Amino acid sequence: MELSGAQILVQSLIDEGVEYIFGYPGGAVLHLYDALFQQDEIKHILVRHEQGATHAADGYARATGKPGVVLVTSGPGATNAVTGIATAYLDSIPMVIISGQVSLPVIGSDAFQEVDMIGITRPCVKHNYLVKDVTKLAETIKKAFYVATTGRPGPVVVDVPKDITAPHIKVPYKYPKKVTIRSYNPVVTGHKGQIKKAVDLLLSAQKPIIYSGGGVILGEASKELTEFTNKLGYPITNTLMGLGAFPGTDKQFIGMLGMHGTYEANMAMHESDVIIAIGARFDDRVTGKLDLFCPYAKIIHIDIDPASISKTVKVDIPIVGDIKPVLEQMLELIKESNKKPDKKALELWWSQIGQWRAVNCLEYDRESPLIKPQYVIEQLYEVTKGDAYVTSDVGQHQMWAAQYYPFDKPRRWINSGGLGTMGFGMPAAIGVKLAFPDADVACVTGEASIQMCIQELSTAFQYKTPIKIINLNNRYMGMVRQWQEFSYESRYSHSYMDTIPEFVKLAEAYGHVGMRIEKPEEVRPALEAAFAMKDRTVFLDIMTDRTENVYPMIEAGKGHHDMKLRVAIGTSTDRELA
Amino acid sequence: MRHIISILMENESGALSRVAGLFSARGYNIESLTVAPTQDPSLSRMTLVTRGSEEIIEQITKQLNKLIDVVKLIDLAESFHIERELMMVKIKATGEMRDEIRSMADIFRGKIIDVTPTTYIVEMTGPSEKLDAFIAAIDPDSVIEAVRSGPTGISRGEKGLHL
């Protein structure tokens, strides 16, 4: 079969099993778009800005586990995609981004819409390829998917010059079933001796804690993690990226850890004698000040990426490998071992954790006449029966969603954890909804974040992806304002916008339903009405308490044991801010 | 501590910039870097001299291994190895200085590879410290220019860095 480069690229994606491409056409990809037009196996989702394409593909990938695919043109199309590529990179999300490039003979001549995409994306991709030979195109696409989805996943850019896709140059096409790359062999099985040592240490622990992260979700190891945790009876905390890997409503779950984690999770980390970190990377938002991090603990760390091990925190027993088989092996050894977890020590440990839990660190003012953002999330949880896909943007609302919506299943909580990209949530929700048209998909956002990719409301209308946008509108960049309150003597420098659009009208202008909610008693009925509208995107503009802060909090330079708690319920409501 | 990292990598365009970019992005220090294709033209061999604590060197080797184009690497400082650097120095040489520089080059096992009525070019290989010593031994005002390749290294014994 002889095909042009454009046809080869499209056919390769079909043969790879790609369902959706998120993209935006332009000069350098016109041949490709022409080839797309002449087939009906892959659906193309036309976004309104290339950043939206990357986030939508990313949301699709996070919800399904399948790689997200993006197609953008050269120059500005490519640079607009960079934020989304970096977002996927920081959270290890498998994506393949195809960017157009100017024709090979003019590369380097500052041609129209030319930018060095390979150079620009090098530090924020797992790998990238510039295609210089049309006969290698199919193999390059296969390699891109192979690299993106294996080992520690990540985004891979394939930069395709326009002349490579020219319709008049046809070459034989065959999509390789398999590729091998001699310089790339991700480790899968863990070292047996290390696993044995880890199990011995775990079973001799007095104050153990399981600290698991997004790697468990990426590695499809939630079932194994749950069985492992239940078998041991140890407390478990999840990172922001790991929420849902272990059921959030299980009694062994002691909440998220880190900067806005629960008091009990952070105290338990601090006091523990053995930590097993599973698919987590000791991010600075998790550890707090490194010198103060877990002073009494021996640390076991399972990760597929050797570079994640002992990067910031020195660990005692490293295990490099795919989490699922490693946990299976550990579970086997635990069952075989004649050593059992120390029941007495564990009882003491749980009673200590119970005391920390009794601090009730997530309690807030339920009597307030203003809408508390936490209340909105709790109501969202109830209305969706805890079974929605929840995407978020970045800031206070993100933390509240993470704190007050316990996720029982993996891949339900979709947020930009590593890069912290405002504008992520709504396009991501569109990607999720395309993957799961029958599921409830909510985007928890704020009036600042939502405006960073607001144009994708138009995409949501065009492709009839009925998502529910929960806009916690506090008329501030809440997290910025909170830090300014705590660390800059309430000098609210540019964390407020003088004009905020009327979101109800805006939603309506884009063809959706808009609702403005101003009183606590309106929240529940509005949410119920919104989720009952199965075929409409609904924008709920919820006017929340402007003064609310995210508690508890580890402030910069402090350790897990030194959390800032809410001083007294109700004290924040009457403060004058603006 | 000083480490010499020897890297076998795909001989592809952009591979060098991936290594250089990694070092600048992560704030690692590169003292010198040399690269050339090997006897297998699909592979390049790079020798990189860097300094850092054990933890940093461990991260550097892990991060380098993570690059898709890197096939294999070793830290030569971990075992017995031989290290050589090439230097060419253009020196002002007139009158009595002509003899003096010639004998100095002899002492350091250097060779004069180019002669004009007023200059010599001295070629010298050896460990970097030897080249430093030669430069220190001659009058700094007489050096017109010096060019150094940066060290390359190879491990001793039967083991080698290959596919």
Side-chain angles (χ1 to χ4, degrees):
Chain A
M1 188 168 43
E2 297 232 318
L3 298 177
S4 73
Q7 290 168 327
I8 287 174
L9 209 156
V10 171
Q11 192 57 46
S12 297
L13 297 177
I14 293 170
D15 290 345
E16 188 60 43
V18 172
E19 195 182 3
Y20 288 106
I21 299 178
F22 300 86
Y24 203 102
V29 287
L30 280 172
H31 299 322
L32 276 169
Y33 270 85
D34 196 46
L36 270 179
F37 190 81
Q38 298 176 50
Q39 59 84 45
D40 51 13
E41 291 188 58
I42 296 187
K43 290 175 237 60
H44 177 274
I45 304 298
L46 175 68
V47 293
R48 299 299 180 267
H49 185 288
E50 288 86 351
Q51 184 181 349
T54 52
H55 294 331
D58 185 328
Y60 173 88
R62 290 179 203 237
T64 60
K66 294 188 259 183
V69 180
V70 175
L71 173 56
V72 295
T73 192
S74 65
T79 55
N80 278 347
V82 170
T83 300
I85 294 169
T87 303
Y89 181 66
L90 265 279
D91 289 341
S92 308
I93 304 304
M95 296 220 296
V96 172
I97 301 95
I98 293 149
S99 54
Q101 182 55 276
V102 298
S103 289
L104 281 168
V106 297
I107 284 184
S109 69
D110 302 323
F112 177 65
Q113 294 195 327
E114 181 186 358
V115 76
D116 174 14
M117 185 60 167
I118 296 296
I120 285 179
T121 58
R122 195 184 301 118
C124 62
V125 292
K126 186 167 171 189
H127 197 55
N128 55 23
Y129 295 96
L130 172 64
V131 182
K132 289 182 179 167
D133 178 354
V134 65
T135 63
K136 300 224 173 92
L137 181 56
E139 187 194 337
T140 306
I141 297 293
K142 183 76 196 174
K143 280 184 179 172
F145 277 93
Y146 172 58
V147 170
T149 54
T150 49
R152 180 177 181 175
V156 176
V157 165
V158 184
D159 203 28
V160 186
K162 187 169 184 180
D163 48 348
I164 293 287
T165 59
H168 60 280
I169 302 167
K170 300 208 171 182
V171 296
Y173 168 76
K174 192 170 178 254
Y175 195 63
K177 281 204 171 64
K178 230 186 123 196
V179 280
T180 51
I181 301 173
R182 64 179 171 183
S183 56
Y184 174 68
N185 299 295
V187 180
V188 180
T189 49
H191 187 277
K192 276 193 181 145
Q194 292 291 92
I195 292 176
K196 171 97 184 42
K197 263 167 58 185
V199 167
D200 282 346
L201 178 62
L202 265 180
L203 291 176
S204 60
Q206 307 286 300
K207 299 174 178 178
I209 183 162
I210 299 163
Y211 146 49
S212 79
V216 177
I217 295 172
L218 296 167
E220 304 287 357
S222 290
K223 190 175 132 276
E224 289 72 17
L225 175 70
T226 306
E227 201 184 332
F228 174 82
T229 307
N230 290 339
K231 175 80 193 163
L232 286 168
Y234 293 175
I236 178 167
T237 175
N238 286 167
T239 67
L240 179 69
M241 292 307 299
L243 295 173
F246 183 83
T249 54
D250 190 292
K251 60 185 188 316
Q252 278 175 261
F253 184 63
I254 59 171
M256 182 169 78
L257 83 166
M259 184 171 276
H260 292 297
T262 63
Y263 181 69
E264 50 271 34
N266 286 330
M267 287 304 288
M269 284 293 284
H270 188 78
E271 296 292 331
S272 66
D273 68 345
V274 174
I275 294 170
I276 176 162
I278 308 175
R281 61 183 179 91
F282 298 86
D283 174 83
D284 56 285
R285 286 296 188 268
V286 157
T287 60
K289 192 173 167 64
L290 280 173
D291 301 343
L292 302 171
F293 180 74
C294 300
Y296 318 112
K298 289 242 185 266
I299 302 175
I300 302 161
H301 188 185
I302 311 171
D303 206 292
I304 199 155
D305 177 10
S308 275
I309 290 173
S310 294
K311 183 172 67 177
T312 55
V313 171
K314 186 104 187 127
V315 305
D316 300 282
I317 304 179
I319 301 170
V320 177
D322 195 3
I323 289 164
K324 195 178 168 120
V326 170
L327 281 180
E328 278 167 358
Q329 275 172 277
M330 292 184 94
L331 200 58
E332 206 53 44
L333 284 177
I334 290 167
K335 283 177 185 163
E336 283 167 13
S337 174
N338 37 27
K339 219 157 142 189
K340 298 282 164 237
D342 185 337
K343 234 178 157 181
K344 219 166 185 174
L346 208 53
E347 261 171 39
L348 273 171
W349 183 224
W350 273 113
S351 98
Q352 170 67 73
I353 290 169
Q355 286 173 31
W356 291 324
R357 265 181 171 160
V359 168
N360 216 356
C361 68
L362 294 179
E363 196 45 51
Y364 62 94
D365 181 7
R366 290 165 194 278
E367 308 300 320
S368 170
L370 303 174
I371 300 175
K372 288 288 182 181
Q374 299 93 330
Y375 173 75
V376 177
I377 305 295
E378 286 178 346
Q379 292 305 307
L380 174 66
Y381 178 79
E382 285 184 21
V383 168
T384 57
K385 301 181 178 64
D387 203 28
Y389 287 83
V390 179
T391 72
S392 91
D393 275 302
V394 170
Q396 286 185 319
H397 65 268
Q398 177 190 25
M399 293 300 112
W400 285 318
Q403 289 174 328
Y404 294 90
Y405 197 115
F407 293 91
D408 278 340
K409 295 177 190 161
R411 301 195 178 280
R412 293 301 172 107
W413 166 236
I414 287 161
N415 82 129
S416 165
L419 195 68
T421 309
M422 291 168 73
F424 173 82
M426 197 243 295
I430 293 172
V432 176
K433 190 68 185 177
L434 285 165
F436 299 105
D438 298 328
D440 283 335
V441 180
C443 165
V444 175
T445 183
E447 84 290 342
S449 278
I450 191 70
Q451 292 190 70
M452 283 213 183
C453 267
I454 192 87
Q455 74 286 347
E456 301 309 328
L457 279 174
S458 184
T459 310
F461 188 72
Q462 182 171 347
Y463 297 98
K464 300 186 175 53
T465 51
I467 53 174
K468 313 302 170 199
I469 297 160
I470 318 294
N471 189 41
L472 300 177
N473 189 340
N474 59 5
R475 285 82 74 207
Y476 272 114
M477 288 154 222
M479 192 58 96
V480 174
R481 188 206 54 70
Q482 175 168 341
W483 279 61
Q484 289 171 337
E485 179 187 335
F486 289 172
S487 307
Y488 298 88
E489 298 171 318
S490 299
R491 289 186 296 277
Y492 297 129
S493 180
H494 299 274
S495 50
Y496 168 78
M497 291 175 202
D498 273 327
T499 58
I500 291 168
E502 282 187 44
F503 288 111
V504 171
K505 281 189 186 164
L506 191 62
E508 286 168 358
Y510 277 111
H512 304 304
V513 178
M515 294 181 183
R516 186 180 161 99
I517 296 107
E518 294 178 335
K519 296 195 189 90
E521 61 272 21
E522 296 168 2
V523 171
R524 177 74 179 236
L527 283 168
E528 280 170 351
F531 281 95
M533 283 184 255
K534 292 284 174 206
D535 57 348
R536 298 300 296 275
T537 287
V538 183
F539 194 114
L540 295 106
D541 189 21
I542 305 174
M543 312 311 284
T544 59
D545 181 354
R546 316 187 67 191
T547 67
E548 190 54 279
N549 288 327
V550 181
Y551 289 106
M553 178 177 184
I554 303 173
E555 290 183 283
K558 301 220 164 143
H560 279 163
H561 60 305
D562 198 5
M563 287 201 92
K564 189 182 179 98
L565 297 170
R566 190 182 292 279
V567 182
I569 302 277
T571 49
S572 67
T573 326
D574 306 322
R575 281 180 300 131
E576 195 60 45
L577 285 181
Chain B
M1 201 188 136
R2 179 173 177 269
H3 287 255
I4 305 166
I5 300 173
S6 210
I7 306 164
L8 207 56
M9 58 199 299
E10 296 292 348
N11 187 12
E12 301 226 357
S13 66
L16 172 63
S17 61
R18 290 182 205 280
V19 172
L22 170 71
F23 273 70
S24 63
R26 294 193 181 264
Y28 307 139
N29 139 67
I30 298 184
E31 231 164 65
S32 75
L33 190 159
T34 85
V35 61
T38 63
Q39 70 277 22
D40 172 351
S42 72
L43 290 171
S44 285
R45 180 149 170 170
M46 178 185 284
T47 309
L48 195 152
V49 179
T50 182
R51 274 177 204 276
S53 63
E54 288 309 308
E55 290 78 29
I56 287 178
I57 299 297
E58 189 184 325
Q59 261 302 306
I60 289 176
T61 56
K62 283 174 170 177
Q63 293 290 351
L64 283 170
N65 264 318
K66 235 172 111 166
L67 294 177
I68 306 289
D69 285 338
V70 169
V71 182
K72 259 183 188 177
L73 64 84
I74 49 166
D75 180 354
L76 286 175
E78 280 177 354
S79 58
F80 292 114
H81 67 278
I82 291 166
E83 180 188 334
R84 289 289 181 269
E85 183 174 0
L86 167 72
M87 173 169 75
M88 289 184 279
V89 207
K90 191 187 290 176
I91 304 169
K92 276 187 230 160
T94 49
E96 288 170 8
M97 286 301 290
R98 289 182 84 83
D99 278 347
E100 190 181 329
I101 289 162
R102 259 174 70 183
S103 67
M104 192 71 86
D106 278 345
I107 293 167
F108 279 85
R109 308 269 185 279
K111 276 192 289 189
I112 295 174
I113 56 170
D114 187 61
V115 178
T116 71
T118 53
T119 63
Y120 284 152
I121 294 176
V122 176
E123 174 202 302
M124 193 173 286
T125 57
S128 305
E129 308 84 65
K130 175 180 143 179
L131 310 186
D132 295 341
F134 178 73
I135 292 283
I138 57 176
D139 175 9
D141 290 339
S142 68
V143 176
I144 298 170
E145 63 174 319
V147 56
R148 296 172 68 151
S149 64
T152 60
I154 194 163
S155 64
R156 294 184 63 196
E158 286 182 3
K159 278 193 193 159
L161 184 64
H162 48 73
L163 277 184

